[in-house]
Amino acid sequence: MFSLRILSVLFVVSASFANDLEIYFDLIDLNHDGKATSQELAIFLDRFYEEKFDPDFSPTSPLPSATKAMLEKLIQNYNRNATRTYLVINDLKRVYYELYSLQNQVPSSEYQGLDPEQIHLSYTHNVHNQMFISFVTRDRPTPNLRPIIKYGSEGYIAFGNTTTYNVDGWHHWIHYILIDNLQPGTKYNYALGFIESDNKTTPYIFSSPVWAFKTMPIQTNGQREFVYIYGDMGTFMPMGIEVMKAIVSDFISNTDEQPDYVVHVGDIAYGGTGGKIEIQAVWDLFMNQIAPIASQIPYMTATGNHEKYFNYTSYKTRFFMPSKVDPTPFEVDENFYFALETNLVQWIFLSTEHDYTEGASQRIFLENALEQYQQKWQFKQRPWLIVVGHRPMYTSDIGANAGDLQVDLEPLLVKYGVDLAIWGHMHCYERTTPVKFNNVTDREHFSADGKLYKHNATAANLTSPIHLTIGMAGALINETWFPQPEWSHIRYATFGFGKLYIYNETHLEFKTILLDPTVVDEEDRFMIVREF
């Protein structure tokens, strides 16, 4: 009976012309009385998360006291009215507007026609001279119109293409443009729109005073890189949009350390229901949720288990990673795995959801990428080597299901001297000591307080990777820990994100930014120093 009710609700939602927020709210408000109660929130979370937040939950039974308290706290976070024990749609609209107002932008809760939305920048393999941009419109342009970006003080124009896909009856249009021949280290203001087939007439140009991007400068002695990094975000339920508000606030207030790009380590929008249904309005909400950041700095992604629906169609079509727009011979599966070299970091993005065993195409890619950068040790020019994936190789969270990552991949991480391995999937934060094969290593180089790992390794296999699990960007937190292993230096379960500071070839620092710092004794912060 319960499953039939869900299917009927989803049919009504997908068949309506309601805007995204209304669709989202109706997914929670099952009886359509305009009030989203804690019981309805519990049903929503139970079906939208593969990882069940309460094993004893039943849609027809009273909520356990702990679950009810958690959900009532969530309701109060959004409605901010101590006398009201439910949410109304205006609560969601207000939070949505608060996000955009941080940058003096005014979003439309009902995008129309050819208005650009869901603007998303990403790097190609050429971080100095290229940028890739995509955006969405609700209407399909007429056949004689092509998407364009108008950028820079000279009013340069780049042309693009248009695509779409069919999941859950989604009928919007994705426009994507490669911007080439850019100058390194240059800021470009830009506007998006469409041009007639004569390549001269531009009947639709939409501009915003805050739309701008900056290419990566050519490396100099004083060059630094700052990165936002996190996983497992989602939208309103429970805290993804609140974490994004914190990220936007950090971006606009810390002008001396504005991150150059974002790394999202999988589980992105949570549009899937834990079954065989994926709600595209959730994807649309999420892409507009990250747009205040993604319209200004490249937003790079790894693949998580919540992207799997309909053979990853939404993820593959909405995102444009380097392996999709300009693949190397070893990057054969579009967005799923790729290398990205910036000035100071060699990133390797993996998919823990796809085959990485001996002989698999992803394994061949990984071995090639690692071998390619091994030779840089001898020239003292090796950038920081960071591997990114979704399911963690090291975690003391009892809900972990990482497959055979340690068996199949850890020998490679150790052999080639990976500095950091960063994961998500578990909705918590955990940092290891330098570790190899479940053993703490380099004790003499790892400070007693765990804040400094300082080594003078002259070969890759003399270092030990530090692993971060950072899936705390908004998805439901309900973690249970094993007794803390010796290699687990610090762990906590609360909402927030990470900031990675790469100062030069020898100094790297990481810290967490928590929505509520009072829930931990101390926010984590540590540094790696390499003395070649």
Side-chain angles (χ1 to χ4, degrees):
M1 181 66 181
F2 176 61
S3 60
L4 290 175
R5 186 183 184 190
I6 289 177
L7 289 174
S8 65
V9 169
L10 293 175
F11 175 79
V12 170
V13 166
S14 62
S16 74
F17 293 98
N19 64 53
D20 299 333
L21 282 170
E22 290 170 342
I23 293 173
Y24 191 90
F25 189 80
D26 281 348
L27 291 169
I28 305 169
D29 180 21
L30 291 178
N31 64 2
H32 303 292
D33 65 352
K35 301 176 182 179
T37 64
S38 57
Q39 184 80 26
E40 288 173 319
L41 276 177
I43 294 171
F44 174 86
L45 293 172
D46 185 68
R47 79 175 188 268
F48 268 77
Y49 282 86
E50 296 175 11
E51 309 83 0
K52 300 305 180 185
F53 75 101
D54 187 343
D56 299 322
F57 171 74
S58 169
T60 58
S61 302
L63 293 175
S65 57
T67 299
K68 186 176 179 63
M70 182 268 287
L71 295 174
E72 287 178 347
K73 182 178 179 181
L74 179 60
I75 289 171
Q76 290 303 314
N77 176 75
Y78 285 116
N79 73 23
R80 301 173 192 173
N81 183 335
T83 64
R84 180 150 52 85
T85 59
Y86 54 85
L87 294 174
V88 297
I89 191 170
N90 283 338
D91 293 323
L92 305 191
K93 289 182 178 180
R94 174 183 45 75
V95 176
Y96 198 69
Y97 275 76
E98 285 175 351
L99 170 65
Y100 274 76
S101 67
L102 291 170
Q103 295 192 72
N104 298 315
Q105 291 177 294
V106 180
S108 170
S109 59
E110 296 186 56
Y111 292 96
Q112 299 178 359
L114 298 180
D115 296 339
E117 59 172 294
Q118 305 181 38
I119 300 163
H120 176 212
L121 297 164
S122 55
Y123 279 134
T124 70
H125 285 302
N126 183 345
V127 299
H128 301 109
N129 306 111
Q130 292 181 337
M131 190 70 71
F132 210 90
I133 190 166
S134 65
F135 65 98
V136 168
T137 60
R138 302 277 157 154
D139 285 354
R140 180 181 186 176
T142 57
N144 63 315
L145 291 179
R146 297 178 63 190
I148 62 169
I149 181 171
K150 186 176 182 180
Y151 60 97
S153 58
E154 301 297 324
Y156 298 115
I157 290 179
F159 305 91
N161 293 290
T162 297
T163 190
T164 189
Y165 61 93
N166 184 17
V167 172
D168 187 41
W170 195 68
H171 57 277
H172 307 331
W173 300 87
I174 299 172
H175 315 283
Y176 55 96
I177 306 168
L178 171 65
I179 315 164
D180 204 355
N181 299 314
L182 299 170
Q183 294 300 309
T186 302
K187 182 177 180 179
Y188 293 91
N189 294 316
Y190 69 90
L192 299 168
F194 296 89
I195 196 167
E196 297 278 5
S197 55
D198 61 9
N199 290 343
K200 297 178 181 179
T201 308
T202 55
Y204 302 101
I205 284 290
F206 308 92
S207 62
S208 170
V210 297
W211 285 354
F213 65 81
K214 184 178 180 180
T215 52
M216 186 163 288
I218 299 296
Q219 185 174 359
T220 63
N221 289 334
Q223 177 64 35
R224 307 181 298 173
E225 287 181 37
F226 297 148
V227 185
Y228 287 133
I229 188 161
Y230 49 82
D232 303 74
M233 178 170 269
T235 53
F236 288 92
M237 298 303 157
M239 294 289 282
I241 197 166
E242 293 292 334
V243 173
M244 182 50 61
K245 282 169 59 180
I247 291 170
V248 173
S249 180
D250 181 89
F251 184 82
I252 63 179
S253 60
N254 294 314
T255 55
D256 59 335
E257 56 175 53
Q258 283 195 336
D260 300 286
Y261 50 101
V262 174
V263 172
H264 188 147
V265 295
D267 279 8
I268 297 172
Y270 287 84
T273 62
K276 296 182 179 180
I277 299 172
E278 187 179 58
I279 310 301
Q280 293 305 304
V282 177
W283 271 108
D284 291 327
L285 276 176
F286 179 84
M287 298 302 288
N288 278 316
Q289 174 180 299
I290 67 171
I293 287 292
S295 62
Q296 299 187 78
I297 59 177
Y299 199 102
M300 313 304 293
T301 56
T303 310
N305 55 294
H306 277 275
E307 282 72 74
K308 68 185 179 185
Y309 300 94
F310 299 94
N311 193 29
Y312 301 87
T313 293
S314 300
Y315 176 69
K316 288 192 296 185
T317 314
R318 288 175 178 266
F319 288 87
F320 297 85
M321 296 300 104
S323 52
K324 178 177 178 178
V325 303
D326 183 27
T328 67
F330 295 97
E331 295 170 346
V332 298
D333 286 330
E334 293 192 341
N335 286 329
F336 295 135
Y337 49 86
F338 59 92
L340 175 70
E341 186 173 10
T342 63
N343 285 333
L344 295 171
V345 183
Q346 172 54 47
W347 295 92
I348 298 178
F349 286 69
L350 298 177
S351 172
T352 57
E353 311 310 299
H354 293 80
D355 191 359
Y356 46 75
T357 58
E358 192 74 34
S361 59
Q362 181 171 208
R363 177 62 170 264
I364 295 170
F365 152 78
L366 175 60
E367 292 173 343
N368 178 268
L370 291 170
E371 184 65 34
Q372 182 178 354
Y373 291 94
Q374 167 73 357
Q375 60 184 319
K376 294 196 174 185
W377 271 102
Q378 59 185 302
F379 299 110
K380 312 299 184 188
Q381 295 174 338
R382 178 179 178 272
W384 292 93
L385 184 55
I386 303 177
V387 168
V388 169
H390 183 59
R391 298 177 191 263
M393 185 175 291
Y394 280 88
T395 178
S396 57
D397 191 317
I398 200 169
N401 178 19
D404 295 320
L405 281 168
Q406 286 191 15
V407 173
D408 289 311
L409 295 187
E410 187 173 19
L412 291 176
L413 270 60
V414 169
K415 175 182 177 180
Y416 289 97
V418 169
D419 297 295
L420 277 178
I422 305 179
W423 320 93
H425 194 57
M426 314 318 299
H427 301 168
C428 59
Y429 174 76
E430 186 167 19
R431 171 168 65 95
T432 72
T433 66
V435 61
K436 296 179 182 178
F437 310 118
N438 288 301
N439 294 311
V440 178
T441 58
D442 262 9
R443 295 178 188 271
E444 67 275 21
H445 299 135
F446 188 62
S447 64
D449 63 4
K451 295 184 182 300
L452 180 64
Y453 178 34
K454 186 175 182 179
H455 64 77
N456 59 353
T458 56
N461 61 4
L462 298 180
T463 67
S464 299
I466 287 177
H467 293 255
L468 301 179
T469 299
I470 190 163
M472 59 177 185
L476 184 71
I477 290 178
N478 187 35
E479 310 308 295
T480 302
W481 304 106
F482 287 114
Q484 191 162 11
E486 185 182 15
W487 47 255
S488 175
H489 179 74
I490 187 172
R491 62 187 187 181
Y492 42 72
T494 188
F495 296 107
F497 59 97
K499 291 181 75 172
L500 184 64
Y501 305 82
I502 308 101
Y503 297 113
N504 47 45
E505 286 97 339
T506 59
H507 287 71
L508 174 152
E509 188 174 18
F510 175 88
K511 70 176 181 179
T512 59
I513 308 293
L514 304 184
L515 294 192
D516 183 3
T518 66
V519 300
V520 299
D521 294 333
E522 182 181 7
E523 292 187 75
D524 192 29
R525 188 166 190 152
F526 73 96
M527 177 174 283
I528 302 176
V529 176
R530 306 188 304 194
E531 296 180 331
F532 287 115

